[in-house]
Amino acid sequence: METNETRIASFDTKAELKSILSLGWPIVLTQLFIMLTGTIDAAFAGHYSSTDLAGVSLGGMVMWPVFMLLTGLTMAMTPIIAQLRGAGQDHQIAHQVRQGLWVCVSTSTLLVLVLMNVATVFDLLDVDSKAAQIAEEYLAAAAWGAPAVIFYVTLRYVFEGLGQTRPPMWIAGAMIPINGLLNYVFVYGKFGFPELGGVGCGYATAIIFWLELIIMLVVCRMPVFANLGAFRHFEWPMVQSIKSILIIGVPIGLAVFFEMAVFSVVGILIARIGVVEIAAHSIAGNLNWATYVIPAALGNAASIRTGYHVGARNFLAARATSAAIYKFFLLYAVAMSIILLLARYQLIFIFTTDIIVVELTATLVLFIAAYQLVDGSNAVAVGALRGYKDTRFPLYVGLVGFWGIAVPLGYLLAEGILLPGFAPGIYGYWSALTLGLTIVGIAMALRLWHVSGNERKILKFADT
């Protein structure tokens, strides 16, 4: 008798993987372009002065976790729209888009309020007063673009739900040279503009946010979006529709926020140890993010493809999608681990030539190589689970793994409290992070396998 596993094995995995990669590679480039934009900000601020770099970095530690929390609420648009397309209910998509944009009205307001009122946060952190002042002014400048980026990102999620992942890629790529020019003008005061230093990066960021939204609105004239009729008439907010978006989106936003925040908190704790340690942690974090981009993009692609199959009530195809993407990911993770092991010194020298920092970072990269399988597994599985609209479980597991285990255990290890007489410092934090990532990654993989094979659960989530 043929089982589901047998059917999955006979499924056209190659064709499904091709569809996933077609959706995923533009998302990879989009994320890399966004990362490069931030790198450009840091480079201009850093060449202006180390204090300005510290201020811009400090501002980013506040802005981006909050940004991901608030934009995570409308990330629900991707699986919602993907499932509607799979079900052949395109006529309902316009309503979901309009209601999602109403959510943006609230989230953009909240983002502006946070960016304009961060002085208390910096006072609590007891950071350098000059860096804190630059960070406050940088965030106040960036706040001018906050409404635009909230609406832009939501429309990006809509396009991804429609399976159109290339337009956001082109927009993000086009912003790189413009961002460089704007930083040059505002940071150094060129062409008659005042010299603003690191604060100029904030104004450049605000302008980039508005340009992204303007271009996205032009892209919305493409038939794939325009034919939906989302902008043809006005619609007041509807409580039940917004509630449906938030039921899915709130856990996504919180999960992303808490995952980003854990690295920020650990960074702050490591900064208390010493300058060398925070430098090594920062470099290792950049390398970790670079390896994480592809699994994260594959997870987003899996969300789109899985959502489409669930909408079409083809649950076997949805499960086969997860199997196909995991096969590809495992090869990637093994290859990346080998690259990190063999080329870690060459990669670190891109960032620094300080031998003490290099040696410490090289050890931290061993941790990254060791947890490639579980870290990427978490990204892929969470993405696929979003396609099923299963978003609460990842939040709960992340809270336990990162905040219930990694942070407190890292502190106890680093400070020698857990093992008196043995205080490994930064290694204590990274050991605990590795354990937390392992627990979360395994739990996510098991959850995906369970949900993808449980028709009752799939239908329950789909009706959310």
Side-chain angles (χ1 to χ4, degrees):
M1 185 175 181
E2 192 178 35
T3 63
N4 277 348
E5 281 68 24
T6 304
R7 292 173 188 156
I8 291 173
S10 63
F11 189 81
D12 193 347
T13 302
K14 186 176 180 180
E16 187 64 24
L17 185 58
K18 183 178 180 181
S19 296
I20 294 169
L21 294 179
S22 178
L23 290 168
W25 74 261
I27 299 176
V28 171
L29 289 180
T30 299
Q31 294 299 330
L32 288 174
F33 290 150
I34 292 171
M35 190 169 79
L36 182 55
T37 301
T39 302
I40 290 172
D41 288 350
F44 273 95
H47 280 89
Y48 189 81
S49 82
S50 57
T51 304
D52 284 81
L53 173 59
V56 171
S57 299
L58 190 60
M61 288 176 60
V62 173
M63 180 165 66
W64 295 117
V66 176
F67 170 82
M68 293 303 298
L69 167 65
L70 296 175
T71 56
L73 302 184
T74 51
M75 197 181 290
M77 301 300 292
T78 299
I80 289 172
I81 291 171
Q83 288 197 16
L84 288 174
R85 290 207 77 201
Q89 298 177 359
D90 285 16
H91 60 282
Q92 295 186 24
I93 293 178
H95 168 70
Q96 294 294 336
V97 173
R98 289 190 286 265
Q99 295 304 303
L101 293 177
W102 274 113
V103 175
C104 293
V105 173
S106 298
T107 53
S108 61
T109 302
L110 287 173
L111 183 56
V112 170
L113 290 174
V114 170
L115 297 184
M116 297 294 289
N117 296 276
V118 295
T120 303
V121 175
F122 296 139
D123 288 340
L124 290 174
L125 293 176
D126 192 26
V127 296
D128 179 82
S129 59
K130 291 183 179 179
Q133 182 179 351
I134 291 171
E136 290 173 28
E137 294 178 7
Y138 162 80
L139 291 175
W144 288 98
V149 74
I150 290 289
F151 281 90
Y152 160 72
V153 171
T154 297
L155 290 172
R156 171 190 158 187
Y157 293 149
V158 170
F159 268 81
E160 290 179 352
L162 293 170
Q164 302 294 317
T165 56
R166 296 188 185 188
M169 174 193 71
W170 293 120
I171 294 173
M175 292 303 105
I176 292 175
I178 298 174
N179 184 58
L181 176 61
L182 291 172
N183 272 289
Y184 175 72
V185 170
F186 293 127
V187 172
Y188 294 106
K190 302 297 181 178
F191 307 115
F193 287 89
E195 185 176 336
L196 300 174
V199 177
C201 296
Y203 286 106
T205 297
I207 293 173
I208 289 296
F209 287 163
W210 279 105
L211 286 175
E212 286 176 330
L213 177 60
I214 291 169
I215 297 173
M216 177 58 83
L217 291 174
V218 174
V219 171
C220 285
R221 300 180 65 180
M222 291 173 58
V224 68
F225 183 90
N227 291 342
L228 298 173
F231 296 154
R232 286 177 190 165
H233 68 267
F234 179 80
E235 185 178 277
W236 287 106
M238 298 181 183
V239 175
Q240 192 57 44
S241 296
I242 290 178
K243 181 180 178 182
S244 296
I245 294 172
L246 295 180
I247 285 174
I248 301 167
V250 169
I252 295 175
L254 289 174
V256 175
F257 172 78
F258 284 125
E259 186 169 350
M260 286 192 70
V262 74
F263 285 95
S264 293
V265 169
V266 168
I268 292 170
L269 291 172
I270 289 174
R272 296 167 59 246
I273 300 175
V275 174
V276 171
E277 284 78 8
I278 191 57
H281 176 77
S282 177
I283 295 170
N286 275 283
L287 292 175
N288 181 63
W289 171 245
T291 65
Y292 187 77
V293 167
I294 289 180
L298 290 175
N300 288 343
S303 174
I304 299 166
R305 195 66 181 163
T306 300
Y308 180 85
H309 288 316
V310 170
R313 296 300 187 261
N314 191 345
F315 303 142
L316 183 62
R319 187 174 173 89
T321 294
S322 300
I325 202 168
Y326 256 98
K327 289 178 182 177
F328 178 84
F329 159 69
L330 290 175
L331 292 174
Y332 167 82
V334 171
M336 189 53 62
S337 293
I338 293 172
I339 291 171
L340 288 171
L341 288 172
L342 298 180
R344 62 187 188 276
Y345 283 100
Q346 289 82 352
L347 293 170
I348 296 166
F349 280 130
I350 295 173
F351 298 90
T352 184
T353 55
D354 186 321
I355 193 62
I356 299 177
V357 175
V358 168
E359 290 297 337
L360 181 54
T361 308
T363 304
L364 298 184
V365 173
L366 296 179
F367 286 94
I368 301 174
Y371 66 57
Q372 279 298 294
L373 281 172
V374 291
D375 192 27
S377 173
N378 176 38
V380 170
V382 168
L385 287 170
R386 286 174 189 161
Y388 288 104
K389 297 184 181 178
D390 181 8
T391 58
R392 294 188 183 183
F393 184 84
L395 169 62
Y396 299 148
V397 172
L399 283 174
V400 172
F402 295 130
W403 292 94
I405 296 175
V407 173
L409 178 60
Y411 179 78
L412 293 174
L413 284 172
E415 299 295 325
I417 298 173
L418 188 63
L419 299 172
F422 177 68
I426 190 172
Y427 299 129
Y429 288 111
W430 274 76
S431 297
L433 281 173
T434 300
L435 177 61
L437 286 168
T438 301
I439 293 171
V440 172
I442 292 174
M444 290 299 100
L446 293 174
R447 175 67 172 186
L448 177 58
W449 191 249
H450 169 67
V451 170
S452 64
N454 191 320
E455 186 173 325
R456 182 182 62 81
K457 277 187 176 295
I458 295 172
L459 290 172
K460 181 181 178 181
F461 289 133
D463 291 336
T464 301

